[in-house]
């Protein structure tokens, strides 16, 4: 399976062994679904992006299956349709890595590269993966604004940036000035649960990206 890796030199090895719990889950997925990606999921998007979209970790039937962030599950349906509306994408998203889709001005970065049990990595696992996020942010000189998808991604990213969580309280569409003076905007995660319960609507999700565009 060929995966596009715009930041390939800073990606972890396919057989990364830093987190025993995540390695065990990876091996279980490999045994059950040998045709899946089943490896750390690389960052994906425009290496000259001004907007960084911060996810938490791959979903089992999405990125862990396909190898591209948010590709193949419901969260990706909403994310990529919104990116299309906001003119961040070229081509048509079709839940496949070979659908011809590309991003323009945006890149997707996960705080944790591997699939965690119940979609919840531990603090230690996030810390283990921090070096890759740090190296990739160092490569992305044009990033001005970040959007965190969900509170756990928000918390992990704030820790990564050297901020105190008490100074950066998560709230949908809240704006935060980071220690390096760049901007973070929060969003509820674009999960099926959040949209089905009405916690997040398409309009609310679009408003987050509209705010980012206004601040560019």
């Amino acid at each position: 399976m060929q995966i596009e890796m715009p930041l390939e030199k800073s990606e972890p090895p396919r057989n990364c062994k830093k987190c025993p719990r995540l390695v065990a889950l990876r091996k279980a997925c490999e045994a059950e679904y040998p045709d899946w990606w089943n490896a750390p999921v690389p960052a994906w998007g425009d290496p000259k992006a001004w907007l960084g979209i911060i996810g938490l970790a791959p979903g089992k039937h999405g990125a862990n299956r396909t190898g591209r962030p948010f590709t193949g599950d419901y969260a990706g349906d909403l994310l990529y349709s919104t990116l299309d509306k906001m003119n961040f994408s070229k081509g048509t998203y079709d839940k496949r890595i070979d659908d011809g889709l590309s991003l323009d001005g945006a890149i997707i970065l996960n705080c944790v590269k591997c699939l965690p049990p119940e979609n919840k990595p531990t603090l230690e696992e996030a810390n283990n993966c921090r070096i890759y996020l740090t190296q990739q942010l160092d490569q992305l000189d044009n990033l001005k604004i970040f959007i965190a998808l969900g509170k756990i991604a928000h918390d992990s990213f704030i820790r990564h940036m050297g901020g105190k969580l008490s100074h950066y309280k998560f709230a949908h569409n809240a704006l935060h000035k980071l220690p390096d003076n760049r901007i973070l905007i929060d969003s509820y995660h674009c999960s099926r649960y959040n949209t089905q319960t009405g916690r997040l609507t398409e309009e609310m999700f679009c408003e987050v990206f509209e705010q980012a565009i206004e601040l560019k």
Side-chain angles (χ1 to χ4, degrees):
M1 184 183 296
Q2 294 295 319
I3 302 293
E4 181 183 348
M5 299 187 187
L7 306 176
E8 184 172 4
K9 291 182 179 180
S10 57
E11 297 294 351
R14 276 192 64 98
N15 65 342
C16 182
K17 298 177 181 179
K18 286 189 173 187
C19 305
R21 197 177 69 121
L22 305 192
V23 172
L25 181 56
R26 182 197 307 153
K27 290 181 177 179
C29 285
E30 287 174 349
E32 187 175 5
Y33 303 104
D35 296 332
W36 285 13
W37 175 248
N38 294 322
V41 174
W44 184 76
D46 182 357
K48 297 181 180 179
W50 62 267
L51 176 67
I53 299 167
I54 308 299
L56 178 60
K60 181 176 181 179
H61 295 276
N64 182 66
R65 176 173 63 85
T66 63
R68 192 175 75 182
F70 290 92
T71 298
D73 56 15
Y74 178 82
D77 292 347
L78 180 53
L79 175 60
Y80 286 117
S81 67
T82 302
L83 290 173
D84 180 58
K85 289 177 185 176
M86 299 291 110
N87 297 314
F88 282 108
S89 64
K90 298 177 181 178
T92 302
Y93 172 70
D94 194 25
K95 303 183 181 183
R96 300 176 290 108
I97 62 168
D98 60 351
D99 56 14
L101 185 72
S102 64
L103 297 186
D104 183 9
I107 192 166
I108 303 172
L109 306 155
N110 278 337
C111 293
V112 175
K113 295 281 188 179
C114 293
L115 171 69
E118 300 180 354
N119 296 320
K120 294 179 180 178
T122 64
L123 179 58
E124 181 181 6
E125 289 160 354
N127 289 340
N128 287 344
C129 220
R130 183 172 295 172
I131 185 173
Y132 304 114
L133 182 59
T134 297
Q135 291 173 349
Q136 294 186 337
L137 290 175
D138 287 345
Q139 290 179 257
L140 297 166
D141 296 334
N142 295 329
L143 286 182
K144 300 177 182 178
I145 299 172
F146 301 92
I147 293 175
L149 301 180
K151 185 179 185 301
I152 301 177
H154 162 95
D155 289 355
S156 183
F157 189 64
I158 290 297
R159 289 191 187 99
H160 171 83
M161 298 298 288
K164 293 184 178 180
L165 295 183
S166 60
H167 297 167
Y168 300 89
K169 295 193 176 179
F170 177 87
H172 183 75
N173 213 15
L175 186 152
H176 309 278
K177 181 175 283 190
L178 296 168
D180 63 3
N181 291 319
R182 289 186 287 182
I183 299 296
L184 173 68
I185 305 173
D186 294 331
S187 174
Y188 291 137
H189 194 279
C190 47
S191 66
R192 184 187 297 273
Y193 175 82
N194 280 344
T195 57
Q196 286 185 338
T197 59
R199 190 183 195 201
L200 179 68
T201 65
E202 291 183 18
E203 292 76 16
M204 289 169 63
F205 200 47
C206 283
E207 286 171 359
V208 173
F209 287 85
E210 288 169 350
Q211 181 175 198
I213 291 169
E214 290 174 0
L215 291 168
K216 179 185 175 184

